[in-house]
Amino acid sequence: MKRARVAYSGAIHEAVPHGDALRLADGRIVDQDAVVWLPPFEVGTIIALGLNYADHAKELSFGAQEEPLVFLKGPGSVIGHRGQTRRPSDVKFMHYECELAVVIGKTACKVSRKDAMSHVAGYTVANDYAIRDYLENWYRPNLRVKNRDTCTPIGPWLVDA
């Protein structure tokens, strides 16, 4: 099942597709252009992996990694489908990467590989912007590169695992 979160008529609603429209949880059918799309889930801690596919590492002349490049993003970096990303006035190069976002649906700590998938609630699409003008170290992107307000549009749908 796929579902979204939208703001409509002064409230936040869960919505599902209904032809070219949306059906809100209360049964109302509304046009997709009549809503403000929100992230399809309540955003908490965002753990992101960098240089996690071979073509990108090759593009940047990096060899295979022994450990993943991990960085955090704050909830303020996330906006919903059709949201407006703000480019700082001094920036010339914002690089975008379409990502598959894996949404963890329950608290997890020291989870075994065997049990890992039981913690996945679903999946959505993320557009991860990096402000390359601010990049100082490919292996450790600083907060200004990846953790900017509005620089991670996600959704519109959360698809159940």
Side-chain angles (χ1 to χ4, degrees):
M1 177 175 164
K2 67 182 184 180
R3 61 189 181 280
R5 287 176 59 245
V6 298
Y8 177 75
S9 192
I12 296 174
H13 303 270
E14 188 168 293
V16 295
H18 186 81
D20 289 336
L22 298 172
R23 187 182 61 203
L24 304 181
D26 64 10
R28 286 183 286 175
I29 308 300
V30 297
D31 189 78
Q32 291 190 23
D33 292 332
V35 303
V36 173
W37 293 86
L38 303 173
F41 55 90
E42 290 288 333
V43 178
T45 302
I46 301 162
I47 302 169
L49 300 177
L51 299 174
N52 59 352
Y53 59 97
D55 286 348
H56 188 39
K58 184 178 177 182
E59 167 196 1
L60 302 173
S61 301
F62 290 130
Q65 294 176 231
E66 292 185 27
E67 306 186 357
L69 165 65
V70 178
F71 57 94
L72 299 177
K73 287 176 159 277
S77 69
V78 176
I79 57 174
H81 175 60
R82 297 184 183 167
Q84 295 249 329
T85 296
R86 292 188 303 271
R87 177 192 297 257
S89 61
D90 63 334
V91 167
K92 293 183 177 76
F93 187 24
M94 278 179 69
H95 179 76
Y96 59 91
E97 296 173 348
C98 182
E99 307 279 359
L100 173 65
V102 180
V103 179
I104 306 301
K106 58 185 178 180
T107 302
C109 181
K110 298 182 182 177
V111 177
S112 70
R113 180 182 295 248
K114 175 178 73 83
D115 295 331
M117 292 306 292
S118 71
H119 288 73
V120 175
Y123 306 91
T124 192
V125 175
N127 187 0
D128 180 24
Y129 281 100
I131 300 178
R132 294 247 176 117
D133 302 58
Y134 301 157
L135 189 61
E136 298 162 0
N137 181 332
W138 289 100
Y139 287 105
R140 289 187 175 79
N142 63 46
L143 291 176
R144 293 176 6 136
V145 173
K146 289 281 200 172
N147 191 29
R148 308 263 328 164
D149 285 349
T150 75
C151 276
T152 312
I154 64 171
W157 308 108
L158 175 67
V159 178
D160 290 340

